[in-house]
Amino acid sequence: MGSVRSIELISNPAMDTSGFVGFMNKCTADNTLTQLPNAAASTISELFNGDRYVYYVLICILGMHFLDVVNSKDNADWAGFVTTRYQAIHLLFRLAFCNSVTPWIYTLCRQSRPCYFMAEGKLLHFGYSEWGMPSGDVAVATVLAADLLERVHWFPSVLLFVVVPCERVMLGMHSVGQALAGIPLGLFIHIYMTRTYSFLRILDFFLNIV
């Protein structure tokens, strides 16, 4: 099932971890998770990565297109189906936009991810990249959660709001502060892209390319 990862994740020894500021920025990873086989830990964490939500929604859109999900010939049912598919495409664009804009925010904030580990006597950084403020995974999950809250039901929305930030902190990918900062970012992107004129999406697209 994979080799066992037995490293211990710690905060940077040079960092002051006392008080509220220290708690918000220190490594609070659950080190019992580092005893999981690498394959299992990687699979679980990958399910919550921000780019995965784009794939999930894209699969739903393609399924709606190629599968006969509306058997009724009633015009109202067909109109509802077309509206749902249109909304899903807009959601796909918001998720992709959030995924692509967060690396730029990383470079502006330039706050390192919280966890480190010792290997061969050296203190090494833990995470996909050096920067982690705000959490892009939480921001993308928040965009999806906000859409589910408005269009589907509150329960899956609350699950995402709670589970994803906790998962990123427990795995040591982000500090508590970085995970919490991803929520207002995701809410801002959702509100901006659902409450402003549609033609601005064209501008958003080209600005993001630049």
Side-chain angles (χ1 to χ4, degrees):
M1 193 175 177
S3 59
V4 174
R5 186 182 70 193
S6 58
I7 61 174
E8 180 182 2
L9 301 180
I10 60 173
S11 297
N12 190 333
M15 174 185 171
D16 182 8
T17 58
S18 62
F20 176 76
V21 175
F23 170 75
M24 293 296 286
N25 293 286
K26 71 179 181 180
C27 176
T28 51
D30 183 354
N31 276 302
T32 60
L33 296 178
T34 64
Q35 303 302 319
L36 289 173
N38 279 338
S42 298
T43 300
I44 294 171
S45 62
E46 285 295 320
L47 291 175
F48 294 97
N49 273 359
D51 56 351
R52 292 297 184 269
Y53 302 109
V54 175
Y55 300 149
Y56 299 153
V57 174
L58 181 59
I59 290 172
C60 291
I61 294 173
L62 293 175
M64 293 168 68
H65 179 76
F66 290 106
L67 301 177
D68 188 15
V69 296
V70 178
N71 294 318
S72 173
K73 301 301 182 181
D74 185 77
N75 289 335
D77 290 343
W78 178 252
F81 168 74
V82 172
T83 299
T84 301
R85 186 169 59 182
Y86 177 77
Q87 292 171 345
I89 293 172
H90 271 255
L91 173 60
L92 178 67
F93 182 82
R94 292 197 299 276
L95 294 172
F97 179 81
C98 188
N99 260 313
S100 60
V101 79
T102 45
W104 295 103
I105 301 177
Y106 283 165
T107 60
L108 291 175
C109 296
R110 302 180 72 83
Q111 184 183 92
S112 297
R113 293 178 186 266
C115 295
Y116 295 78
F117 64 96
M118 296 297 298
E120 299 180 354
K122 297 180 180 180
L123 185 66
L124 301 178
H125 195 265
F126 178 76
Y128 301 124
S129 60
E130 181 178 358
W131 312 119
M133 171 59 91
S135 171
D137 299 296
V138 174
V140 175
T142 300
V143 172
L144 178 58
D147 190 82
L148 292 174
L149 181 62
E150 290 184 349
R151 306 186 191 282
V152 183
H153 196 269
W154 62 266
F155 183 71
S157 175
V158 171
L159 274 181
L160 283 174
F161 275 123
V162 174
V163 171
V164 176
C166 292
E167 178 261 346
R168 304 317 287 173
V169 170
M170 291 177 65
L171 286 176
M173 295 298 178
H174 295 282
S175 65
V176 173
Q178 291 171 353
L180 292 179
I183 295 177
L185 174 62
L187 288 175
F188 172 79
I189 291 175
H190 172 77
I191 293 172
Y192 164 68
M193 300 191 79
T194 57
R195 303 298 193 273
T196 56
Y197 295 111
S198 297
F199 75 86
L200 290 175
R201 304 295 75 80
I202 300 174
L203 179 63
D204 295 336
F205 177 78
F206 284 107
L207 284 178
N208 196 48
I209 292 178
V210 174

